[in-house]
Amino acid sequence: MHLSPVTLRRLAGAVGAVVLTVTATTLPANAEPRDDTISPSLLAPGSPSGSPSSEGVSQRDGQVSRGTARAPSTEDDTDTAPLSLTIDRLTPGELPRRGPLEVRGTVTNSTLETWRDISLFPIFNAGSDCASASCAPVMTTSAQLAAAVETDPETPLAVRNVETSDEIELLTPGQTASYSLRIPQRELRRIFGKRPTPGVYWFGVHALGASLTNPYDNLADGRARTFLPYVPGSTDAVVDTAVVLPLRAAITRTADGALARTADWLEALSLDGTLGGPLAFGTAAGDRPMSWLVDPAVPDAVRNLASGNPARAIRQLPDPDLEPTTETPDTTATDEPGEDDGNGTSQDRLPDTDPLVLSARSWLAQARAVLPDDAVLGLPFGDPDISSAAEFLPELYPIARRYPGVELTDWGVDATRAVASPDGYLDPAALETVDDGAVIILADGMFDVESFSETPRSDSLIGESPVVPAERGAAQGGPGPDARKAPVALRQRILSEAALRALDAADEDPAPLTVVLPATLDADGSAAFWDGLETDWLRLRTVAELTVPAPGDAPAAQRQLDLEDLVYPADRERREISRGVMTEADRLIQAAHSLQSILGDRYDIGAELTGEALTGTSFELRRDDGVQARLARAHQWVTERLAMISVETPNGVTLSGRSGGFSVALRNDLPHPVTVNLSATTDDGARIEVPNPIQLAANSRTSVPISAELLRTGVHNVAFRVTDAEGTAISGVETLPLRSGRVGAVIWVIIGTGAAILFLAIGIRLRRRIRDHRHPDEAQAQAGPA
């Protein structure tokens, strides 16, 4: 009788457990252990560990498979198997109490040869076959889930169920085909029994096929794995779960102020990008409660891209009560070359047909349609590194809070203030600077197990700010080897974490679960993600809803979190934004304030420049070595424009008396009108008065009258500076020597004495002449003979 290869593999699968047992018991006693040996914490009591045969064949998921050992890694999702599998849909997301369990996905031929007669089987770590195989026990703690994610795909964990299968006849190199498996309820009951053990099971799919160099055998040629939770219907606990989707990005600019790295922006705005992916993923939630974590600077930056990514310029705001202005924007060139950042320097405004402009407009339209009706957690503008700012620039946080973002404001988004770093770690000292009641999201790794329970409290406070612990493990996704952060993998990890909390709650309310999803999301599976979260023991909530005190909660004073109990690893501290970056950001903010002050409310360049400073201190730029130089160039751009307003003084001034007046000239070379102050400082021997404030027309020169009063004699040097309304200097110093025309009192005494002597001599001489005139004989006699 002739049996087809498929039938042979079915028979091989039926006796797979026996083969495994024989293989395990016949291995040499001195066999060298493998790196992929199952972790003892995952093995049932008495379970054998996997070991290789002399031919390099290892046990894997309860079956035998080829391949070399590979160290477990949470970052490496690479599968070296010839057939790559995905799990795209798993319905329902839990072990069903009624109805079938259905799984769908794809198989891809990752080799250069054709594979034929491919069979696909589900695998479980349950059933009678596990008695003779290396099945992992049911997981009942979050720590076991975390350890399971780290296991190598070749670790023996489950057995293959051959009663359910699907077939793919042919896969050419690189070809992908779909598969579908439906395990009926009667089969599930046979495997798990009428009363399955509560907890989290392993579930996966094996692919077995043949190629020219790989004959038909019982070896798994491809695999995919995930978690399958089970919560009995008698469980009354419901876990409030908040799913958070981040919209944050690294925002950098060229020397002329246009957004840099435009190729990165185009990728980020795409459906599988770090901005387009989360936006599409969250949109698929529909009316389900969820939360957005938004940096207000991101929509503003995308708006600039939608406008063609113009360079930085001083532009007058439109006045709705006046005709549109024809004022020419200030596009004065600097001597600095444009910054390329590997993507070229900024050029003229992009055309409307540019792919980046189209992508930005599409993203803005979708964000505007979704965000106003959803729960939004608003980060400080620019997402500044508050851990670094608390040490080097404490006033940065309140500055960032004063800028809610133009786009979010225009859309009418009522955002709840929040603080969160991308990895969830914040310096405890920085949390004291969050004095506005913002929600503080911290990674659960910051809660020391010696000071906190295994599940940190979710009703703690720091000052008036509620603290929300975020489950990091759930955001890491599934165990692989298929994509660990695929929608189904993420959903099953969240469901599993919630299931364990519900099972552990007993008669108490289970601790809420908050998960901040990664920025890299596959929008194609978003519908399956949200649909699968609808279970009897998981209830979706927003983060704001989780922070509302429940009736009977302890007073706020009793819920205060001790900052000394929080853990902030040294490696996180070393990643913080440097002091130099914070210093340059501070200089740019001060210069931007001065420029805005002299231009007035008809312009918004100050807010634009302050936004540049804030985005330059972002968490997203912690590993960017060019931040400080970019901020310095932006500061230079401002100072060059401030220097266009100057004061011109004469070489010196001499007053005719104790007081008087003179004039100096103010020059404005900017193509915009400004209002400035003129500061005049000298010693205490003089008083100077200036008619502040002073309005200067665009490209003009104005004479300013100065009043002076000298309190003592001598030369007084007067220093003139152009300042903003608050007295901050915006130009260099011009010094003018000032003296009085009055002569000193000693000089007047000398002059008076000389005048008195002169008039006395004149008087004596006149007297003599009069006397000689009246008595000529007497005068002649006194004179004597001629």
Side-chain angles (χ1 to χ4, degrees), residues 650-718:
N651 293 330
V653 172
T654 301
L655 301 180
S656 59
R658 290 184 56 189
S659 62
F662 60 94
S663 296
V664 298
L666 281 181
R667 185 183 185 92
N668 176 24
D669 291 331
L670 284 173
H672 316 281
V674 297
T675 300
V676 299
N677 284 359
L678 185 62
S679 168
T681 57
T682 184
D683 54 46
D684 57 2
R687 284 199 294 263
I688 308 296
E689 294 183 2
V690 182
N692 287 323
I694 303 165
Q695 295 182 351
L696 299 174
N699 297 312
S700 66
R701 185 177 185 275
T702 302
S703 179
V704 180
I706 307 295
S707 298
E709 180 181 3
L710 302 183
L711 305 179
R712 64 170 183 262
T713 59
V715 177
H716 305 273
N717 290 321
V718 184

Side-chain angles (χ1 to χ4, degrees), residues 98 105 179 208-209 232 261 265 293 319 342 361-362 366 413 527 541 565 567 575 615 659 665 708 784:
R98 289 181 297 273
Y179 73 86
L208 286 77
R261 304 173 181 174
W265 279 105
L293 183 65
D319 190 338
R361 292 177 179 176
S362 175
Q366 186 175 2
V413 174
R541 287 287 185 263
D565 292 337
V567 177
R575 298 176 192 172
T615 56
S659 62

Side-chain angles (χ1 to χ4, degrees), residues 584-642:
E584 287 297 341
D586 186 31
R587 293 177 63 210
L588 178 55
I589 291 172
Q590 298 302 324
H593 180 77
S594 294
L595 182 58
Q596 182 64 50
S597 174
I598 66 174
L599 288 170
D601 296 337
R602 295 293 305 278
Y603 299 85
D604 63 351
I605 187 64
E608 181 179 345
L609 290 165
T610 301
E612 286 190 38
L614 294 172
T615 56
T617 64
S618 172
F619 283 109
E620 300 289 333
L621 299 178
R622 276 186 165 185
R623 298 186 180 183
D624 191 329
D625 296 331
V627 179
Q628 186 171 344
R630 289 194 295 270
L631 290 175
R633 284 198 289 270
H635 178 260
Q636 180 183 357
W637 185 91
V638 182
T639 55
E640 287 175 349
R641 277 143 186 82
L642 293 176

Side-chain angles (χ1 to χ4, degrees), residues 88 257 262 277 297 350 358 446 448 481 558 570 636 643:
D88 298 331
T262 52
L350 297 174
L358 297 175
M446 288 193 65
D448 185 16
Q558 298 180 15
Q636 180 183 357

Side-chain angles (χ1 to χ4, degrees), residues 65-130:
S65 62
R66 292 179 297 272
T68 58
R70 183 163 59 95
S73 171
T74 58
E75 300 297 333
D76 182 14
D77 291 336
T78 303
D79 186 10
T80 58
L83 300 178
S84 299
L85 271 66
T86 67
I87 298 178
D88 298 331
R89 293 189 67 89
L90 181 61
T91 308
E94 58 179 320
L95 181 62
R97 295 189 291 270
R98 289 181 297 273
L101 179 67
E102 298 182 6
V103 58
R104 296 178 183 179
T106 62
V107 183
T108 301
N109 181 0
S110 303
T111 68
L112 298 178
E113 54 185 354
T114 298
W115 282 75
R116 302 176 183 276
D117 299 322
I118 300 169
S119 297
L120 296 111
F121 304 98
I123 63 171
F124 302 94
N125 62 325
S128 58
D129 293 338
C130 276

